[in-house]
Amino acid sequence: MNKPQKGLPRPEPRQFDSTVLAKEVVERLTYRIGKDAANAHKHDWLHAVILVIRDRIIDAWIRTKKEFHEDKGKRVYYLSLEFLIGRLMRDAVSNMEMLEQMQEALSSLNVDLDVVAELEPDAALGNGGLGRLAACFMESMATVGVPAYGYGIRYVNGMFRQEISDGWQVELPETWLAHGNPWEFERREFSYEIGFAGKVEAAEETLGTPAKMKWSPQERVVATPYDTPIVGWRGNQVNSLRLWSAKPIDPILLDQFNAGDHQGALRESNRAQSLTRVLYPADSSLAGQSLRLRQEYFFTSASLQDIVRRHIQDFGDVRTLHEKASIQLNDTHPAVGVAELVRLLVDVHDIEFAEAWEIARETFSYTNHTLLPEALESWPVPLFERLLPRHMQLVYAINAHILKKARKIEGFDDAAVSAISLIDENGERRVRMGNLAFVGSHKVNGVSALHTELMKQTVFKDLHKLYPERINNKTNGVTFRRWMMQCNPELTSLIEATIGADFKDDAEQLVRLNKFADDAAFQEKFMEVKLQKKIALSNHLKNYCGAKIDPNAMFDIQIKRIHEYKRQLLNIVHAVALYDQIRSHPELDWAPRVKIFGGKAAPSYHNAKLIIKLANDVARVINNDPAVQGLLKIVFVPNYNVSQAERLFPAADLSEQISTAGMEASGTGNMKFQVNGALTIGTLDGANVEIKEHVGDENIVIFGMTAEEVAARREQGYSPRDVIEQSKELKQALTAIQSGTFSPDDPHRYSGLIDGIYEHDWFMVAADFDSYSNAQRRVDEIWSDKKLWAKMAIKNTANSGWFSSDRTIRQYAEDIWKVGLK
Ligand SMILES: *Cc1c(COP(=O)(O)O)cnc(C)c1O
């Protein structure tokens, strides 16, 4: 085809007034969906509305791409196996600043935007915090003007849907694509082949050492991209999220089919498609299956081929890649990319290994998300070698290069060398993905100040000695567009009426609220908004799961993945103790509380699933006991996801951030609560430490051991049994659970769980219990002083601006990516 003529008339950019919008919605409904307004279903309206919004975004998207192209600047590539996006429509209309016009347009058609918005499925392509961070970052990169592309996998089944049946978690597949996905655009022309297994031979011309090689994969699939536009605040920039889907090279083997082997003819096709069928639902633990490694390599290779292709197209010479591209590895899931880029440079682009290695290291940077040993990725050498034989060679070559250097440095004994090696030689030999990501990156960041320090002292102790400049801190953040402006418009309006609108473009302007913290009139308005959000949540929960809760009670909320280190168990044991206390001392002034839990357990995580059952068992007993009616209630909200989160954070009074100190890398849920004016009860872990610094010691309730104290306690030999013997309140609660008070149908259901606390209590539930219980009494006291509570809540919102992901992204841009902002 000839190049299209220059100067073809461009379509006029779309208009935003409500009459135009209403007309277009009806037009889309008619000509794109093929329905008459009179008999259109709700989903048809949703689809039509999205198409109308999408057109506006496309104008800005095309403009952004043109700017990137003309700018010839450096680009940022964010590689993440997970993007926990949630719904996109409200985000899009709100960031395009067309919410009111669209509401007006739809009401002129007798359609309610809120009702339609509720039909949009959550894009739940992630497990929890790590995936949600990637989604917040995408929005912030578009907002602050980073020329960025996100890369990930288009899972057909994202995070499972959780139902609670008789108190137990049941996992059901989530079919988010069932009604189609109007936000995505398939871009077949940018498909790539991805190889697995096969053999490696010397290339025809052997170049350099280690030499260029020829890899002939035994198995090949095609990676096809689907692009979703990500709009920044005020629609200034629209970036792309490119998600890969696996397709077979030959959809059907016709010879085989014609010979009557129908299943065989489709085997290759099914095998290819199964690659991107489902998200692994394990959060913070290694999914060791080969399908997982295949997923990781699949999306990383496709992304790198795309990045290299774009670079060569724009700049001609692949040798300048590091000057024009920064690739951020979100955890070690894409760490195989280090070897893949070296492979592309050496084997495909004829660059010598040493130079290829330098280019790769200058291009990559890596974010570490966890110190939990069970979550540090490593792959058995035989598996890695079979699936990626060429990469295995390159991992050995990189390892030799690094270890040679290390051995020359004084103080690097055999133990230090074996600690930094890319191959774990203790027992079954394994490839250490964290070490590969570390050595293959020019910067390695932790996600909170504490976590960054702990990285230097633990997992990367020896690598840090070798590369003392490499580790840096970038404390996580959350996007205030979604987590304040969209989910809490009432609070947003109140703030705007009080300090003006500047905070919408610069969250740190919220500090101006500090001077209203003591203002009685403002306190009243602030708490009135909170009450409204609590009433809205109460109404929602009644419909959603039948829970009846009193909006005047304290909403004490713990919502996050269920994990032993996050210590939902500590919270449940406290509920049981509180239940005892209230019944023993009915004459005291107890603050009425509703303890709300939400979160999914990995399907294979036995204790986490048991903790969900325990929460529900305890809830059933407490909620049916007239002795504590109106004083204590427990609710487990099923299927915690981004859309549930948007209702829960604004309605919270108390934020539970009670992980064993040293184990939560950062947390971002803690920030979403703070933004919305909840008080935190928490340990000095992750970003809680920084929240405390920002709100001031007097505006947060801290309890429990510090990370150092936890480590020391373990070192000394911790005896939970002794601790339990000394705490009457704890012992009573544990005994009640253990003896079947909450599980009369199966009195031994929790024996193992509670035995674990007596025997080793790895997560220090017993050791921190008294301190936690006292901290909860302090919370009750604060609650009884309404003005004090209001003041503290206001101080939390007022000092939350630093936790905007815009701040985090600016720091990445300046210190790691070295990209200019628009
Ligand atoms: C913010 C968020 C998380 C992370 O919560 P943490 O408390 O930081 O673990 C997990 N899931 C969803 C749906 C979220 O919105």
Side-chain angles (χ1 to χ4, degrees), residues 141-337:
M141 289 191 289
T143 294
V144 308
V146 176
Y149 298 74
Y151 280 109
I153 290 181
R154 179 181 178 273
Y155 301 104
V156 173
N157 295 115
M159 192 56 200
F160 66 81
R161 184 158 56 85
Q162 176 195 58
E163 277 187 9
I164 300 296
S165 168
D166 187 29
W168 294 100
Q169 166 175 294
V170 177
E171 302 99 27
L172 299 161
E174 189 66 278
T175 50
W176 70 296
L177 295 170
H179 290 270
N181 175 8
W183 293 113
E184 67 183 11
F185 295 84
E186 186 180 344
R187 304 290 191 206
R188 261 172 205 257
E189 66 275 28
F190 297 119
S191 296
Y192 300 91
E193 254 187 51
I194 313 295
F196 294 100
K199 61 174 195 286
V200 180
E201 309 155 284
E204 273 169 34
E205 359 142 32
T206 50
L207 188 94
T209 41
K212 165 179 173 173
M213 302 292 272
K214 179 164 179 264
W215 172 30
S216 314
Q218 179 199 332
E219 190 193 329
R220 292 171 305 147
V221 298
V222 175
T224 299
Y226 288 73
D227 288 358
T228 297
I230 305 290
V231 198
W233 173 231
R234 297 202 192 277
N236 288 338
Q237 183 169 310
V238 179
N239 288 343
S240 307
L241 173 60
R242 176 160 279 192
L243 301 177
W244 300 100
S245 179
K247 311 255 150 104
I249 297 212
D250 296 313
I252 179 163
L253 303 173
L254 265 185
D255 287 350
Q256 236 161 313
F257 190 86
N258 294 338
D261 179 6
H262 298 165
Q263 275 196 338
L266 289 168
R267 194 169 298 131
E268 189 193 329
S269 169
N270 292 334
R271 187 167 161 80
Q273 283 168 33
S274 70
L275 244 173
T276 48
R277 182 106 64 208
V278 4
L279 166 76
Y280 275 93
D283 191 52
S284 299
S285 76
L286 168 64
Q289 295 88 341
S290 72
L291 178 61
R292 170 73 165 206
L293 180 56
R294 291 161 61 90
Q295 286 186 335
E296 293 182 355
Y297 177 67
F298 167 81
F299 104 91
T300 304
S301 173
S303 308
L304 283 168
Q305 292 186 58
D306 199 39
I307 292 166
V308 167
R309 189 254 328 142
R310 185 178 298 112
H311 178 80
I312 292 174
Q313 184 179 307
D314 288 354
F315 303 103
D317 184 1
V318 75
R319 287 184 156 81
T320 59
L321 182 71
H322 57 292
E323 293 166 19
K324 295 294 183 185
S326 240
I327 304 177
Q328 190 71 34
L329 305 173
N330 192 27
D331 214 320
T332 54
H333 314 140
V336 67

